[in-house]
Amino acid sequence: RAEQYVNEYRQQEREEIRLRRLAKSSGNFYVPAQPKLALVIRTKGIKKIAPKPRKVLQLMRLLQINNAVFVRLTYATTQMLQIITPYAAWGTPNLKTVKELIYKRGHAKVNKQRIPITDNSVIEQSLGRFGIICVEDLVHEIFTVGPNFKAANNFLWPFKLSNPTGGWSGRKVRHFIEGGDAGNREEFINALVRKMN
């Protein structure tokens, strides 16, 4: 099963490269599909936050500084992310990031308790009915935003990350574009997670 997933990821990557080359050779531009998955990291503490952003952070289960969650990108969630821009950093995680987070920091929510994922049986008990029986299934469901994404994501406890090695870049509250850390940083979220994991 894991082999099948590896082949699927590889095929996806090759297809992307093929389309990009095809567009370049015919003098066109290749516009990749809109990302379906985002990783959101809370960068601010709990003091001095207006009620609306506070509520959105609660809905996203980001109750603590340096907490991280996966979010399916829809029009509604994009609007929610706009509201919490000054208090969170987010972007599009790659496969390596998703894998590393789940393998290293992954905890399951079983009977409202935070249990480390040390064994596939923990996953099978909770998500077996969705056909998710091991960590690779879980990674695949999250990364591809499959039909059981909601159940798989809810099963994962929010990741508790460390402060980034080397610290934040200057003023944390400024937007990423202005040299800060808040807001959407697209694929640069992967570098931040490496420093925080």
Side-chain angles (χ1 to χ4, degrees), residues 99-174:
K99 252 189 191 161
E100 278 179 1
L101 276 175
I102 292 175
Y103 273 104
K104 186 178 176 185
R105 300 268 179 182
H107 282 71
K109 184 163 72 181
V110 180
N111 297 333
K112 299 182 182 174
Q113 288 178 317
R114 183 173 184 257
I115 292 165
I117 302 172
T118 50
D119 195 353
N120 282 336
S121 61
V122 179
I123 297 172
E124 193 171 359
Q125 278 167 9
S126 296
L127 299 173
R129 63 183 187 279
F130 300 113
I132 299 169
I133 55 171
C134 64
V135 181
E136 278 305 319
D137 287 349
L138 188 59
V139 169
H140 180 262
E141 194 64 34
I142 295 287
F143 183 65
T144 57
V145 190
N148 302 313
F149 173 82
K150 191 178 175 184
N153 197 25
N154 205 19
F155 164 76
L156 283 171
W157 198 278
F159 303 103
K160 296 179 180 225
L161 304 178
S162 312
N163 275 323
T165 46
W168 299 96
S169 57
R171 297 281 292 152
K172 195 160 61 165
V173 287
R174 277 206 195 118

Side-chain angles (χ1 to χ4, degrees), residues 14-33:
R14 287 217 185 102
E15 183 64 11
E16 192 94 341
I17 291 165
R18 189 187 70 79
L19 290 169
R20 194 169 280 136
R21 282 180 182 157
L22 191 71
K24 198 174 179 186
S25 66
S26 59
N28 292 327
F29 289 106
Y30 171 65
V31 180

Side-chain angles (χ1 to χ4, degrees), residues 19-79:
L19 290 169
R20 194 169 280 136
R21 282 180 182 157
L22 191 71
K24 198 174 179 186
S25 66
S26 59
N28 292 327
F29 289 106
Y30 171 65
V31 180
Q34 287 288 325
K36 286 188 275 184
L37 179 70
L39 176 68
V40 188
I41 303 172
R42 181 169 180 155
T43 54
K44 191 144 178 355
I46 55 171
K47 302 261 182 183
K48 293 185 180 172
I49 292 185
K52 202 168 202 173
R54 190 192 305 152
K55 184 66 186 170
V56 173
L57 287 164
Q58 269 173 17
L59 289 172
M60 288 191 169
R61 304 186 297 166
L62 296 170
L63 306 178
Q64 225 174 11
I65 191 168
N66 294 348
N67 269 12
V69 289
F70 292 116
V71 171
R72 183 206 302 257
L73 279 181
T74 60
Y75 177 72
T77 52
T78 314
Q79 298 292 55

Side-chain angles (χ1 to χ4, degrees), residues 2-15:
E3 237 168 70
Q4 180 193 326
Y5 290 149
V6 169
N7 291 336
E8 189 186 319
Y9 299 139
R10 237 181 241 153
Q11 224 171 333
Q12 231 173 332
E13 233 166 89
R14 287 217 185 102
E15 183 64 11

